[in-house]
Amino acid sequence: MDDLSAMPSSPQSDIASKYFYSSSGPCSGTGRSAEDTPPCQSSSFGSSRKRKKACEENGNGSPETLPSGENGTAEKQKRNMSKKSGVAKSAATACHGTHPLEPAEMAEHLKQGLGKEGQIVHIQEIPSREASFTELPCHLSGAMREALASIGISRLYSHQSQAIESSISGRHIVVATSTSSGKSLCYNIPVLESLSQDLMACALYIFPTKALAQDQLRTLLEMKNVFHIDIDVKIYDGDTPREDRLWIRNNARLLITNPDMLHVSILPYHGQFQRILSNLRYIVIDEAHSYKGAFGCHTALIIRRLKRICSDVYGSHPTFIFCTATSANPCEHVMELANLDEVELIQNDGSPCGSKYFLLWNPPLYMADGSSKASSVPRRSSSIVEVSYLFAEMVQHGLRCIAFCKTRKLCELVLAYTREILQESAKGLVDSICVYRAGYIAEDRRKIEADLFGGKLRGVAATNALELGIDVGHIDATLHLGFPGSIASLWQQAGRSGRRAKESLAIYVAFEGPLDQYFMKFPHKLFDKPIEHCHVDSRNLKVLGQQLACAAYEHPLCLKYDEHYFGSSLDSAMTTLKDKGYIINNPSGALSSSMWNYIGPEHFVFLQRSPSQAVSIRAIEHDKYKVIDKLNNRLLEEIEESKAFFQVYEGAVYMHQGVNYLVEELDLSSMTAFCRKADLKYYTKTRDYTDINVLGGEFAYLPTSTCKTNRVKTTTQANDCAVTTKWFGFYRILKSSNKISDSVELNLPPYSYVSQAVWVRIPHSVKITVEERKLQFRGGSHAASHALLNIVPLHMMCSASDLGTECANPHETRGIPDRILLYDKHPGGIGMASQAQMLFGELLLAPFELVSTCSCTGAVGCPNCIQSLTCSEYNEVLDKEAAILILKGVIDYERAYFEAEDAFQQS
Ligand SMILES: Nc1ncnc2c1ncn2[C@@H]1O[C@H](COP(=O)(O)OP(=O)(O)OP(=O)(O)O)[C@@H](O)[C@H]1O
């Protein structure tokens, strides 16, 4: 029997994070995935000694290579709890109190109890703010006053008054105030007032998600019920029943929709929406900061299509109202998003807010007993366990809490651990928590939202699916397991607590990794740093080409008039469409003013389908596997195709809301996995590898800004790439011993998708230098790629699940080009590679600094430099010294290349 803990060890202490940190599968290379392992359970609390022992036997002093786990009985659990030390906590540490605490009292309570090992490295007290009220504007109608009174509003916050005045007088505005600052009224008041005064006027609300649309509809209906004017407010999205659609098109005056629906259903058939579009007075775009990457780029062009149809076909010129919570450049961003020359910025927040205690929590260090000298590096205890104890504390002491985790599996793991703690400390509360994440069916999510709102639930472990403004009632505390990818996102999540001026608590628990440890060391970087910029690129040629075909289908294109909407690339983009035979012009008239009609491809015309149906705007997969509980035929989850085989295959142990299921059948044709609850003594994980094949030499995205800024010049390329994952088997691993019981072959089809990669070549001379020094070249390029991956989120809004790299394994036989590469892990790509390309010069300098200044001494580095939590290969093939040589070699080569080029141009 193989002992997995005897494999070359991953030196990170928070081993479970290796499995659960990544939400979208592994990096690449033969071996194990980040998505495939079910969370470890009960005995993991008690197994630290066992795990450490295994590592000591390995001679590297590192903690375990695998999470151990067991759905143990309470008896076993107690035994385990009392055994543990170092990595996990002791039963004595767990708080058994259940008396209610206020957030400030909780901060104090934690200092004395759970956090007394020095975990609290910083407390930022964000002071409360008094409301700045203004009286209701005198021009507001009586009906509006009554409606506001009915929802308890007698005065407005100052920013609300300013927003109402400006938008009623027709100025485009962007409201950029804090979470829960009453932004909805900034648009609901002017829109409802205008629609009640002009009985033909209409408005369009655009939300990025269906859940937010539902939330807004509830609020609007509440107001409308007492607003004695007949305005039909309706949602028009993919869930709207077909039989209701005609009525809505003919009668609704306030239409709530999303960019996807505008793209495929409204704009291509704009004639059916003539009444609404010709009377369109307002366009409201809430959560504007969520429009970035490929989705933002497509949305920017969809809005241009909408403005063109409104203006050129129906003669309407609507006023835009944008709301955004967290962005450093709200005006610039929304002007680009909607192609506006001027937007009034409203950011003097008049809403009150209670004080917030923001704690930075670094899991305690421990020394592996008896470790060898070479590796006697102190490690940090499990962040997942720390968060679980904190979550239990919140729930026990009556603080309604959201524990934000980066991945679905981390959520499941935190839930399982916390339930286990509560089983010991407050048994009656075990069922008062659950998981909230994408993948659950809409009905289950609505139920969780309602239970949280109604107080039936005291807490949820959630992914960022709960980050946007879905109203789940009052939340007292938020926990954040690891850096969520951007400071903006952290604030957005933390903003979920303390709504309505109440005191609140946020605790950011660090993983052992460069980014988290950076913020633990320099808290001011988190609290003083302006929130990142939000970027949308409407000039992306690839997207422009696709969107122009859609625009031509809706209304003939004309170079003279349409450049105003689509920019200076219109000419070349139209030429491409013409060459492909998609558009044809009317031969009469001057070239610049001739009209170009959409004619192809043939089947679209023949089937009367619009080209928009072939253009995906989210780069999110449409195809999903269903997971069905065989016992009652209940749909448990839908998993995106690219991630499905990491979790469901015949024989897999699948986890849902902390319960184990055995997958009995996987029907590939219907994309369904059938499973049954099972009490099993093992968990499973796939054996797989992922290859990245860079396609062609074309730029996937043109490096638009490399030339016009003073950024470090780079020869880096961004290309389309094919990402292919193959699953060749799985292990059954005993929870009790953490040993492989057997290995089973799998016969699953490989999964491929096209995405984008950004990469730089490692010069041959650098490779030779590395090899002459008897260092591992592959270990060095792998380590350099990890270091790069680790620092990217400091420069770009992205998370660990957005980007991957090529990971090396010791048995590699496939030839891998000599390069440092990052690839976009979203099928289709969300523009990450193109963003990284623009920054690549700087991006290369940062990992070089990081690795060359890291004080760790081992050849395989440490989690603060070259090890990666998402490495599918357990960080086995790494060489720190080679990484330094490679990074320096690439930087020097790039510098020399551009110096020579400059000298040539000057001569
Ligand atoms: N002028 C006001 N006086 C008192 N309460 C108000 C006022 N304006 C808004 N509120 C209340 O503040 C709460 C938050 O409002 P709202 O949901 O509109 O905020 P938001 O900024 O849109 O939130 P998010 O950032 O989550 O999108 C609501 O309960 C609302 O009734």
Side-chain angles (χ1 to χ4, degrees), residues 133 151-157 160 177-185 187 286-287 325 468-471 492 496 499-500:
F133 280 114
I151 53 168
I153 291 171
S154 54
R155 291 179 295 171
L156 292 178
Y157 302 137
Q160 292 174 325
T177 51
S178 57
T179 315
S180 194
S181 57
K183 290 188 287 297
S184 324
L185 282 185
Y187 51 82
D286 202 352
E287 309 288 353
L468 290 174
I470 299 163
D471 194 1
Q492 182 82 0
R496 299 314 309 260
R499 296 166 75 103
R500 289 166 215 171

Side-chain angles (χ1 to χ4, degrees), residues 315-332:
S316 63
H317 301 277
T319 300
F320 280 86
I321 304 178
F322 299 92
C323 290
T324 180
T326 41
S327 150
N329 56 338
C331 258
E332 187 192 19

Side-chain angles (χ1 to χ4, degrees), residues 492-634:
Q492 182 82 0
Q493 292 177 348
R496 299 314 309 260
S497 67
R499 296 166 75 103
R500 289 166 215 171
K502 280 206 173 178
E503 204 180 65
S504 63
L505 183 66
I507 308 178
Y508 166 14
V509 179
F511 274 111
E512 189 169 49
L515 266 189
D516 285 327
Q517 291 307 314
Y518 178 79
F519 288 125
M520 294 296 127
K521 222 190 248 173
F522 308 108
H524 66 278
K525 297 276 180 194
L526 197 60
F527 296 104
D528 303 346
K529 190 178 184 246
I531 290 156
E532 301 90 336
H533 283 65
C534 205
H535 176 73
V536 62
D537 183 5
S538 64
R539 287 160 304 174
N540 180 313
L541 280 188
K542 203 170 178 180
V543 175
L544 180 64
Q546 294 172 334
Q547 290 286 336
L548 263 191
C550 304
Y553 178 87
E554 290 150 12
H555 186 61
L557 289 175
C558 174
L559 196 55
K560 185 171 169 189
Y561 301 113
D562 288 330
E563 198 171 298
H564 164 63
Y565 297 108
F566 300 112
S568 55
S569 308
L570 179 67
D571 196 356
S572 67
M574 278 175 64
T575 307
T576 310
L577 286 184
K578 187 183 67 164
D579 294 347
K580 281 184 179 170
Y582 284 17
I583 54 174
I584 189 166
N585 74 330
N586 172 359
S588 64
L591 197 65
S592 67
S593 57
S594 70
M595 307 300 277
W596 293 79
N597 289 294
Y598 183 81
I599 52 158
E602 264 175 23
H603 63 282
F604 284 123
V605 175
F606 175 66
L607 293 171
Q608 302 250 304
R609 286 174 59 194
S610 83
S612 59
Q613 288 176 21
V615 178
S616 156
I617 68 166
R618 296 206 186 227
I620 287 177
E621 296 160 75
H622 296 290
D623 293 333
K624 293 182 179 170
Y625 275 76
K626 291 190 182 68
V627 187
I628 304 276
D629 183 351
K630 260 182 148 174
L631 186 69
N632 46 20
N633 227 15
R634 192 168 98 86

